[in-house]
Structure formats: C-alpha cells, structure tokens
Amino acid sequence: MRQVLVCGAAIVTLSMGIRHGFGLWLQPLTQAQGWSRQAFAFALALQNIAWGLSGIFAGMVADRFGAFRVLLAGALLYAAGLAGMALASHPLPFALATGVVIGLAQAGTTYAVVYGVIGRQVDPARRSWAMGVAAAAGSFGQFLMLPLEGFLISTIGWQQALLVLAAVVLAILPLAFGLREPGLAGRASTGPAPQGVGAALREAFGYPSFQLLMAGYFVCGFQLAFIGVHMPSYLKDKGLPPGVASYALALVGLFNVFGSYAAGALGQRLAKRKILAFIYLARALAIALFLWAPLSPASVYAFSAAMGLLWLSTVPVTNAIIAQIFGVAHLSMLGGFVFFSHQVGSFLGVWLGGLLYDRTGSYDVVWAMTVALGVFAALVNLPVRESPIPRGAVRA
C-alpha cells in the first residue's frame, strides 16, 4: 500500500500541480500573441471537456488492464501538449495542443486512474483516508508548482517556462512503475469481470444518488475552473501586484493539503453526503464574503486560505461514496463519468468567464453564479444514499 500511495501521490503532485498554474499564462501569453482572453479561455475550456470525456475511456482501460499503460501514455501526451502550447502561433493549434492533447494527458495521469488503483489495493476501512492522501498530494503540487511556474515565467519567459515543464512532467514515467497491477491484467485476460461494463453503467445511471453526485460535481468544476483560471487576471484588473495571484493560488494549494486530507479522514467517520453539502455551502459563503469585503492582498490571501480548505476536498469524499455504493471493479470508469460532469462545469466556468468578461468588461456575473451554484450543490448532495447496492455477488 505504501508504494501505491507514494507513487500515486507523486504523480498527482506533478500532473495537478502543473495544471493548476495555467491561469498564470493567460495575460503574458495573450499579450505576446495578440489574442483575446476568450481564445485562451476556450482552449482551457476545451481541455476540461477533453479531459472529462477521455477520462471515461482511460478509466475503462485502467480498470481492465491496470493503470500502468495509461500513465505512460498520459505522461508522453502531457509533455507533447505543453511543448505544443509553447510553440503554437495561432489560436487553432494552440487549442488543439492545450485543449485536446493536454486534456487527454490529464485523463491518464490524474485522480480517476490513480484512485482506481487505490480503491483496489487499499482496504475499504482505510480507502477514504487513502484517497484523501492522494488529493492532498495534488494540493501540495499546486503549492509547490505555482510559485515555481510564476518564477519561470518572470525569469525565462512564458514560452521557455512551458518547455521546462514539458521536461519535468516526464518524471511520471518512472513513477508509473509503482502503480503496476500485473494480477489485474492477468484476470482480465483469463476470465470475465464479475459485472460487465454495460451492466455497471445501467446500474449507476439508474441510481438517483449517482445522478445527484454528478450534479454536485458539475458545480465543483465550474467554481474551481473559473477561480483557478480567471482569478489571476481579476486581481491584476483590480490593480493588485502580479505576485499576489501566484501567492494566492499557492495558498489555495497549501491549505487544500489539510482540507483534502481532513475530508478523506472524516469520510471514514461521518456521513459523506453531509461533508459534501458542508463543503459546497462553505464555498458559497467564502466567495460571497470575498466579493463583499474591500479588496486587498490580505483579503485575497484570507479568501485563498478558506477556499484552499475546500478546494479539492470534494474529490476523496465523492470517489469514496462511489466505491462504497458500487464497489471497486469499475471504480475508475464510474469515477470518470462523474468527473466528466465536473469537466462540463469546468468548461462553462472557464469559457463563460472569458466570454462574459469580453462582453461586459467584468467578471461580476460569473462570480454571482459561483455563489448560487454552491448553494444548489449543497442541497442536491443531502439526499445521496451511501449504502451499497444489494447484489447477489460479494462486493469488494
């Protein structure tokens, strides 16, 4: 179990750490290329959709043959996408590299694939905790990588910074060996799974609690993508120094180390649906207070710390509920479907942020939407039923 957690956490640290910093490139890249914010936002919005959609199929492959091959392909695609992002001279190839290629890469190197291994290799009594550890690693990656990315942009330029990250992300290749599951591949080749893919999907989509989890995760994606991508530019528009945005997003990552771990640990003891409802309601309150208070570096840092405690804390709890209800045989695939809902929300959060800014000259409408959606997500998670679905076969 230790090897799985260490290697899985390191992979998520790199993949999510790099991904969380993309908002730092919005202004330097669009100014250098002469593009609109909407062009940049569309590429990242497309990335979220590509990530979510391909994550379903990456999860299917990982569930059947193990995560190792998926991680190798994802790391190579990640490096290629970052290089393409740096070298693109027109919005279309930029969107293909940033949106499609990196989206495919993230599907193979982030939570759904790693959580599938954790779910199969960790005892159910510690599963929520272990998923919290992996989510905390992704948050630590944000804390670790964002100041580095900001430093690289300011010292060697936005283009060279992306090429450096393309080399760094290849460290996932050796780490993937720690998540090999040879026994899983052997079972896949010698006999059928206890439950087929079609039956698993019919069961999940016919279960109301699965639909409610998808609705809540849509909101999670909307909020996080909008804040992560557009808050740096929002702060610069308000006249705050550029370094405030880098430190703010780094604080989000730092405090989410504690928030994600705590959510995973509490998920072993408390009703997970209530934890999710609290997280979404607290997000709505934190955003409302941030918009109401006078804007200053201090208020930004306080908001970042509060949001950090709530940032990815939904991830281990949501995936633990899926494993608890449906078992782990198709955990990566079902987690991929829920995550696709998250990414549809991410697409809208990123894209609407750029679109409405270009049309209205402010982010006010989208900020208001994040508050309202937070209240909605809190309400839809309360009726979720966490008990396992009764089946004739023994569940994992």
Side-chain angles (χ1 to χ4, degrees):
M1 182 183 76
R2 181 178 298 177
Q3 175 179 291
V4 168
L5 279 180
V6 170
C7 293
I11 289 169
V12 173
T13 295
L14 285 171
S15 60
M16 293 299 294
I18 291 173
R19 186 256 178 186
H20 279 307
F22 283 149
L24 300 176
W25 272 268
L26 192 156
Q27 284 200 354
L29 192 152
T30 54
Q31 290 172 0
Q33 301 283 29
W35 300 342
S36 68
R37 292 190 186 185
Q38 184 180 350
F40 184 93
F42 176 77
L44 287 189
L46 181 62
Q47 178 188 110
N48 287 316
I49 289 294
W51 181 4
L53 185 60
S54 59
I56 297 169
F57 301 99
M60 289 180 181
V61 174
D63 284 334
R64 185 163 178 80
F65 299 106
F68 177 66
R69 300 174 189 176
V70 177
L71 289 166
L72 293 183
L76 294 173
L77 284 171
Y78 216 143
L82 288 167
M85 186 176 175
L87 301 175
S89 58
H90 186 273
L92 179 57
F94 178 79
L96 291 175
T98 308
V100 178
V101 178
I102 295 182
L104 291 171
Q106 290 168 343
T109 57
T110 50
Y111 292 113
V113 172
V114 173
Y115 276 173
V117 181
I118 291 175
R120 289 185 288 270
Q121 300 297 321
V122 177
D123 185 89
R126 305 189 71 190
R127 187 181 290 150
S128 178
W129 167 83
M131 290 179 176
V133 171
S139 306
F140 179 75
Q142 182 175 352
F143 171 70
L144 177 70
M145 296 299 295
L146 275 164
L148 173 62
E149 292 171 42
F151 173 77
L152 289 173
I153 292 171
S154 63
T155 54
I156 64 175
W158 66 267
Q159 193 171 42
Q160 289 74 20
L162 287 168
L163 295 175
V164 169
L165 293 180
V168 170
V169 80
L170 291 175
I172 291 176
L173 294 173
L175 292 169
F177 284 87
L179 273 69
R180 285 181 297 177
E181 298 177 277
L184 182 66
R187 289 194 301 272
S189 62
T190 59
Q195 182 188 42
V197 169
L201 291 177
R202 287 191 296 272
E203 179 183 72
F205 280 94
Y207 196 64
S209 291
F210 188 75
Q211 300 167 16
L212 294 175
L213 288 172
M214 291 184 70
Y217 230 31
F218 168 90
V219 174
C220 181
F222 188 100
Q223 292 174 324
L224 270 56
F226 169 70
I227 293 172
V229 172
H230 290 285
M231 192 168 78
S233 295
Y234 171 79
L235 298 178
K236 290 179 182 178
D237 291 342
K238 296 295 185 179
L240 295 181
V244 173
S246 297
Y247 289 124
L249 293 179
L251 278 174
V252 170
L254 175 62
F255 277 84
N256 196 40
V257 173
F258 307 106
S260 297
Y261 180 84
L266 288 172
Q268 300 291 153
R269 304 175 182 178
L270 305 177
K272 298 177 183 66
R273 68 184 187 279
K274 294 182 180 179
I275 297 174
L276 288 174
F278 171 80
I279 291 169
Y280 287 117
L281 188 61
R283 280 189 192 174
L285 179 61
I287 295 169
L289 289 174
F290 173 63
L291 298 175
W292 170 79
L295 188 65
S296 67
S299 71
V300 172
Y301 297 147
F303 170 70
S304 300
M307 284 300 296
L309 292 172
L310 309 165
W311 193 254
L312 293 177
S313 51
T314 59
V315 176
V317 183
T318 301
N319 282 271
I321 291 177
I322 296 170
Q324 188 168 316
I325 296 174
F326 302 105
V328 299
H330 298 286
L331 178 56
S332 291
M333 180 189 68
L334 294 179
F337 272 100
V338 175
F339 188 67
F340 177 67
S341 176
H342 181 285
Q343 294 307 89
V344 173
S346 297
F347 174 90
L348 291 174
V350 173
W351 178 63
L352 285 176
L355 177 67
L356 293 177
Y357 178 87
D358 287 342
R359 292 191 176 181
T360 67
S362 79
Y363 290 113
D364 292 349
V365 175
V366 192
W367 278 119
M369 292 173 66
T370 63
V371 176
L373 286 171
V375 176
F376 166 78
L379 294 175
V380 300
N381 273 280
L382 285 175
V384 169
R385 297 181 63 183
E386 303 175 29
S387 56
I389 289 182
R391 294 198 195 112
V394 177
R395 290 171 50 88

